[in-house]
Amino acid sequence: MIKRRTGKVRSLVLTTIKQTEEKNMTKRLVVLDFDGTITDAEEEGKPFVASYSNDLCLLVGKTPEDVMPVLRSVEAKIAADPGNNGWLYNKLIVAPATVDPYLRMRAIALRVFDHFKMFMNPSDRDSLLNFLYKRNYPLSGVAFKKDSLQMLRELCAHKDIIVYVVTNSDTAGVCKKITTLSAGNDELMRICDQVIGDAKKYLVDGRPDHVAESITLPGLERPVYLRRSAYFKALEYLRELNGVNWDAVTVIGDIFELDLALPFALGARVGLVINKFTPKYERDFITANSPQASCINLLNEVLPFVLQ
Ligand SMILES: [Mg+2]
């Protein structure tokens, strides 16, 4: 009797494992970046850019007529050379500075200060730039990219897809925007429970060491660092929680270096949402690594890429 029951239990366990495996074979985990991926960072950043530029005029003690031509000239130089105009964090370039208006204004401010020979002490500059960012960021608006609502709806409605947002922004701010976008749609509101904010994707600190330290991209002279421990921890947690392998994970972001380089190296599929500021070397790298990677021109291309 006992023997027969044990056999029954064993067979039940084996069936359950088989079903779970079959289920997990089709299950796909989608990790979305938020700012610049779902939102239109350029549109949202317009009031930030206007106020920040005005502050720069005040700080260097000149009129907008004196400062704005300098600002536009350095902006063009930065846009023409994204590889050498990066976001410096802990003495390493961790992302291009050109892709979103917040990082771009920081790079512009440094060159404007250089031009007018102002605030030459590096530590003073750092404090001043942090102050300018914090003072002006709250002015940013809310603007979603075309088809963002449709994309999120389709992803959430698909039975085999689990959606998360992993972002450097704070969770509350992102949920507030999702609430605006969802306009009472319960399915979309559930994403608010699946947001990992303050992900610190920019933190390069030598871990995890089973990933190469860096990769090189044709057309970019400096390395792209991969060991981003905080970001890895967030991605690994979600992967384990949902019981999938890396090849069942798709990450969608607007900056390859910040959002996609690490998951790509781990074996995930990656979609780069491009805009006019996306560096050419990032586009070229993505195109050369199809089908694991793909450029996303419009958000309605996300679901087909996930299901490919
Ligand atoms: Mg982004």
Side-chain angles (χ1 to χ4, degrees), residues 61-173:
K62 306 276 181 192
T63 64
E65 287 73 28
D66 293 326
V67 179
M68 290 313 285
V70 177
L71 192 152
R72 289 201 187 96
S73 155
V74 298
E75 183 174 21
K77 281 181 187 153
I78 290 167
D81 188 11
N84 287 312
N85 286 285
W87 175 15
L88 206 59
Y89 186 83
N90 283 348
K91 298 181 183 167
L92 295 174
I93 291 185
V94 296
T98 49
V99 185
D100 81 46
Y102 309 105
L103 293 175
R104 198 181 317 126
M105 283 312 291
R106 189 179 170 96
I108 288 170
L110 285 171
R111 289 201 180 206
V112 168
F113 291 155
D114 282 344
H115 177 89
F116 291 103
K117 297 188 172 48
M118 300 282 286
F119 313 108
M120 300 310 279
N121 179 305
S123 140
D124 288 350
R125 274 192 180 193
D126 217 38
S127 303
L128 195 50
L129 292 175
N130 290 340
F131 169 76
L132 283 170
Y133 173 77
K134 284 196 173 147
R135 172 178 148 82
N136 291 301
Y137 184 79
L139 301 172
S140 300
V142 180
F144 286 96
K145 284 195 170 167
K146 187 176 175 289
D147 295 332
S148 53
L149 180 61
Q150 177 80 359
M151 175 198 71
L152 288 173
R153 266 192 184 151
E154 285 175 357
L155 289 173
C156 291
H158 199 287
K159 67 178 176 47
D160 296 326
I161 294 175
I162 306 145
V163 186
Y164 289 88
V165 171
V166 177
T167 169
N168 286 336
S169 297
D170 85 296
T171 309

Side-chain angles (χ1 to χ4, degrees), residues 33 35-37 254 259:
D33 172 50
D35 295 303
T37 296
D254 65 321
D259 303 311

Side-chain angles (χ1 to χ4, degrees), residues 137-250:
Y137 184 79
L139 301 172
S140 300
V142 180
F144 286 96
K145 284 195 170 167
K146 187 176 175 289
D147 295 332
S148 53
L149 180 61
Q150 177 80 359
M151 175 198 71
L152 288 173
R153 266 192 184 151
E154 285 175 357
L155 289 173
C156 291
H158 199 287
K159 67 178 176 47
D160 296 326
I161 294 175
I162 306 145
V163 186
Y164 289 88
V165 171
V166 177
T167 169
N168 286 336
S169 297
D170 85 296
T171 309
V174 168
C175 286
K176 206 173 158 191
K177 288 186 184 180
I178 291 174
T179 306
T180 306
L181 182 69
S182 64
N185 180 309
D186 289 344
E187 206 161 33
L188 284 193
M189 280 304 291
R190 278 205 295 274
I191 297 183
C192 286
D193 297 329
Q194 315 219 142
V195 175
I196 296 185
D198 197 22
K200 295 188 173 65
K201 300 178 190 179
Y202 48 81
L203 183 66
V204 174
D205 60 357
R207 290 170 297 151
D209 60 9
H210 66 274
V211 174
E213 195 174 355
S214 64
I215 49 167
T216 51
L217 270 50
L220 177 67
E221 286 169 16
R222 59 179 175 77
V224 167
Y225 296 104
L226 299 175
R227 293 179 178 171
R228 297 166 187 251
S229 67
Y231 190 29
F232 174 74
K233 204 171 149 191
L235 293 174
E236 180 73 341
Y237 166 73
L238 296 179
R239 190 186 68 79
E240 284 186 346
L241 181 71
N242 291 287
V244 293
N245 295 324
W246 282 112
D247 60 6
V249 178
T250 303

